Amino acid sequence: MRQVNFAIIFIFCLAFALFSIENTELGTIHLIPGMEVQAPISIELLIALGLGGVLAWLFSVWTHLERLLWSGQKVRQKNARIQELESKVENYQAQIQSLQPSLPPASEASAT
């Protein structure tokens, strides 16, 4: 999978480099009314790609944190269920131990 990711990134970088070589003319960016910035189209594209990459990374971090919180909640629920079942097993073992003295030994039961 790493090779596929590397190939995709390499292709995008190569395409960006070729685009940058061909598009050196100035482009105007209107940020807010009355404020404009002129820069080469390739620089504008580089900034847009950088912002897109940062936003994608932030989204990835956010979804990872959500997944961690969700799995932590599931683990807590499962641990509570395990504790409940362990206490039931202990109760059943105590009941069995309390009933054992009243049961006849296996040798007497088979002799009769």
Side-chain angles (χ1 to χ4, degrees):
M1 190 66 180
R2 282 186 186 258
Q3 291 85 6
V4 173
N5 287 343
F6 177 76
I8 290 171
I9 291 170
F10 179 76
I11 290 169
F12 275 114
C13 289
L14 183 62
F16 176 71
L18 293 174
F19 180 83
S20 298
I21 291 170
E22 295 295 322
N23 294 293
T24 57
E25 57 269 354
L26 292 178
T28 304
I29 302 173
H30 300 279
L31 296 174
I32 55 175
M35 183 176 175
E36 352 181 292
V37 176
Q38 285 192 342
I41 294 174
S42 58
I43 300 298
E44 293 172 0
L45 179 63
L46 180 63
I47 291 170
L49 287 173
L51 287 175
V54 168
L55 291 176
W57 176 74
L58 288 174
F59 180 74
S60 171
V61 168
W62 177 258
T63 55
H64 182 71
L65 288 175
E66 274 185 335
R67 196 174 308 127
L68 282 176
L69 291 174
W70 182 78
S71 65
Q73 182 182 16
K74 285 290 197 183
V75 167
R76 284 190 295 277
Q77 288 174 350
K78 288 186 185 226
N79 283 341
R81 179 72 175 146
I82 289 170
Q83 293 295 329
E84 176 186 337
L85 292 173
E86 284 178 346
S87 67
K88 283 184 178 181
V89 167
E90 288 175 7
N91 288 340
Y92 292 146
Q93 285 177 344
Q95 287 177 359
I96 289 172
Q97 297 232 344
S98 67
L99 292 176
Q100 276 184 345
S102 63
L103 295 175
S107 59
E108 288 180 17
S110 63
T112 56

